[in-house]
């Protein structure tokens, strides 16, 4: 066989091998589109909006399980029980599914920790152990989401309540989420930083709340500013969170006030500090709706499964795992 024939034979063999290697990717692109790349039998890549990404459009691609694990790592402590992590993984996945229903370009926007950020957070000596812990929570709840009827449930969560979670009907004035109701969580009272106290100058509160303050009719009063007598909690919901608050002539919600001052909770009370400052004491961390991560973790320590945890906080919903993740992208 001459040299030319040998070279042609090698080229044919090389081309055949390249086709074999690329065939799974070609099939994947044909079936799923170029935005979802198969990584292995159980994983794939998704588009994620990252403001500081090197890509010009601010969109990067990441493995689906790494993305979910990265969100978990940002939202919940590595010290939590495995069943707590699983419950949170299902909550996150459900939220993403709800978002994807209204998304045209299927680009995800939830903040997450990359692998490098996880290693920086935990240190090289702990990174492998903790990373695997989060990945297991994602993989062992594969495809599982919370459903209410035929729709994805709304699954809010918070770090700890003030001892009771809140009713969505009371907070939102809507009956669309009957499964988000008041739940007694007495163990939350033992949570880290459950009770916190802050001191604010009246002038700072006036500045922070300026977007919804009613202009004082009396210009002299407006120039004088607020005093302790200008602050009154007028009503609370059935879980003890402030529903209505008076500030001078302004009536606002406790959640508006919490957000304006970046308070950890809208379960708060006032006490007089001095002529220039007011003291605010808060209980709980977060909005108080849905799942309390602290109580969920205590339930897990008592032997409850993630299914039981989610059934407690979202009563009347069901868990389903028959909706393939890849079908949503």
């Amino acid at each position: 066989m001459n040299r030319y024939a040998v070279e042609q034979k090698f080229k044919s063999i090389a081309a055949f091998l390249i086709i074999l290697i690329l065939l799974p990717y070609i099939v994947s692109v044909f079936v799923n589109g170029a935005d979802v790349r198969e990584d292995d039998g159980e994983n794939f890549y998704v588009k994620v909006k990252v403001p500081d990404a090197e890509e010009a459009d601010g969109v990067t691609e990441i493995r689906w399980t790494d993305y979910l694990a990265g969100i978990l790592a940002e939202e919940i402590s590595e010290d939590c029980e495995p069943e707590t992590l699983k419950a949170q993984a299902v909550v996150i996945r459900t939220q993403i599914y709800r978002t994807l229903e209204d998304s045209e370009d299927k680009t995800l926007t939830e903040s997450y920790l990359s692998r490098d950020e996880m290693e920086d957070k935990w240190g090289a000596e702990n990174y492998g152990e903790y990373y695997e812990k989060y990945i297991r929570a994602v993989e062992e709840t594969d495809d599982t989401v919370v459903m209410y009827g035929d729709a994805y449930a709304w699954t809010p969560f918070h770090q700890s309540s003030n001892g009771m979670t809140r009713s969505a009907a009371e907070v939102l004035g809507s009956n669309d989420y009957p499964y988000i109701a008041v739940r007694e969580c007495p163990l939350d009272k033992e949570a880290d930083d459950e009770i916190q106290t802050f001191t604010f100058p009246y002038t700072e509160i006036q500045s922070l709340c300026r977007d919804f303050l009613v202009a004082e009719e009396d210009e002299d009063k407006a120039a004088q500013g607020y005093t302790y007598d200008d602050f009154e909690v007028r009503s609370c919901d059935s879980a003890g969170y402030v529903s209505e608050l008076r500030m001078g002539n302004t009536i606002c919600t406790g959640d508006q006030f919490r957000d304006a001052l970046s308070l950890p909770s809208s379960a708060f009370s006032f006490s007089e500090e001095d002529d220039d400052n007011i003291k605010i004491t808060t209980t709980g961390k977060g909005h108080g709706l849905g799942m309390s991560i602290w109580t969920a973790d205590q339930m897990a320590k008592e032997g409850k499964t993630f299914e039981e945890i989610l059934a407690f906080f979202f009563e009347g919903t069901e868990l389903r795992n028959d909706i393939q993740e890849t079908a949503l992208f």
Side-chain angles (χ1 to χ4, degrees):
M1 184 180 295
N2 60 37
R3 181 177 177 182
Y4 175 80
V6 171
E7 289 178 349
Q8 290 298 109
K9 185 174 183 179
F10 274 115
K11 287 180 180 179
S12 298
I13 293 173
F16 177 74
L17 291 175
I18 290 172
I19 291 173
L20 284 179
I21 293 171
L22 293 179
L23 183 61
Y25 173 74
I26 294 171
V27 172
S28 173
V29 170
F30 179 79
V31 174
N32 298 310
D35 293 330
V36 180
R37 304 202 315 268
E38 292 296 333
D39 178 58
D40 53 39
E42 301 177 351
N43 215 337
F44 56 95
Y45 283 74
V46 294
K47 296 187 298 182
V48 180
K49 189 75 173 178
V50 183
D52 57 353
E54 295 180 0
E55 290 78 359
D57 58 358
V59 175
T60 188
E61 290 189 334
I62 181 175
R63 288 200 317 169
W64 170 243
T65 52
D66 276 341
Y67 181 59
L68 292 181
I71 299 174
L72 267 179
E74 187 166 65
E75 294 179 344
I76 190 169
S77 170
E78 63 274 6
D79 295 327
C80 284
E81 296 293 309
E83 292 301 306
T84 313
L85 294 178
K86 291 179 188 178
Q88 185 70 4
V90 174
V91 162
I92 292 170
R93 186 183 291 108
T94 305
Q95 291 178 336
I96 292 175
Y97 279 25
R98 277 173 60 90
T99 301
L100 285 172
E101 280 191 312
D102 300 322
S103 172
E104 294 183 0
D105 63 2
K106 307 303 181 184
T107 299
L108 305 175
T109 59
E110 191 71 28
S111 176
Y112 73 100
L113 295 182
S114 66
R115 289 198 186 189
D116 288 341
E117 289 170 327
M118 292 182 198
E119 186 169 355
D120 289 341
K121 178 182 179 181
W122 300 320
E125 67 279 6
N126 297 317
Y127 165 72
E129 175 189 352
Y130 292 152
Y131 171 76
E132 287 301 321
K133 186 175 182 179
Y134 285 101
I135 285 292
R136 280 198 303 272
V138 171
E139 292 179 342
E140 291 177 10
T141 60
D142 186 39
D143 291 328
T144 305
V145 290
V146 184
M147 303 291 292
Y148 183 67
D150 295 327
Y152 299 115
W154 181 42
T155 52
F157 62 93
H158 54 283
Q159 293 301 313
S160 66
S161 71
N162 68 340
M164 300 178 73
T165 66
R166 307 171 75 184
S167 160
E170 288 185 272
V171 176
L172 304 177
S174 167
N175 294 317
D176 292 342
Y177 312 104
Y179 49 88
I180 301 177
V182 175
R183 295 286 180 268
E184 293 189 4
C185 299
L187 295 177
D188 276 350
K189 295 181 179 180
E190 303 171 6
D192 297 334
D193 299 323
E194 175 71 356
I195 298 177
Q196 300 183 62
T197 300
F198 306 87
T199 300
F200 283 90
Y202 293 113
T203 53
E204 183 178 357
I205 294 178
Q206 189 171 3
S207 174
L208 292 172
C209 298
R210 63 183 178 275
D211 289 341
F212 57 84
L213 286 178
V214 174
E216 299 287 355
E217 296 179 1
D218 186 342
E219 293 184 3
D220 292 337
K221 171 62 178 173
Q224 178 184 346
Y226 290 110
T227 67
Y228 180 70
D229 291 335
D230 289 311
F231 291 81
E232 176 191 8
V233 173
R234 298 186 60 172
S235 65
C236 293
D237 62 24
S238 58
Y241 289 77
V242 175
S243 298
E244 191 174 84
L245 166 72
R246 180 184 65 82
M247 298 171 54
N249 291 336
T250 297
I251 303 298
C252 67
T253 68
D255 290 336
Q256 281 180 302
F257 189 73
R258 177 201 69 199
D259 292 343
L261 272 62
S262 299
L263 297 174
S265 169
S266 54
F268 56 78
S269 61
F270 298 119
S271 57
E272 192 169 9
E273 177 74 5
D274 54 43
D275 291 342
D276 299 318
N277 301 280
I278 190 171
K279 185 180 292 184
I280 304 173
T281 300
T282 65
T283 306
K285 294 178 69 176
H287 47 60
L289 288 163
M291 187 175 76
S292 160
I293 292 177
W294 182 274
T295 286
D297 202 42
Q298 304 312 305
M299 293 174 68
K301 290 177 181 178
E302 294 171 358
K304 301 294 185 183
T305 64
F306 78 88
E307 294 95 338
E308 292 173 311
I309 292 170
L310 293 171
F312 173 73
F313 285 109
F314 305 105
E315 186 177 4
T317 62
E318 65 172 335
L319 298 181
R320 284 176 52 184
N321 60 5
D322 59 326
I323 303 170
Q324 294 297 311
E325 294 164 329
T326 52
L328 296 169
F329 293 90

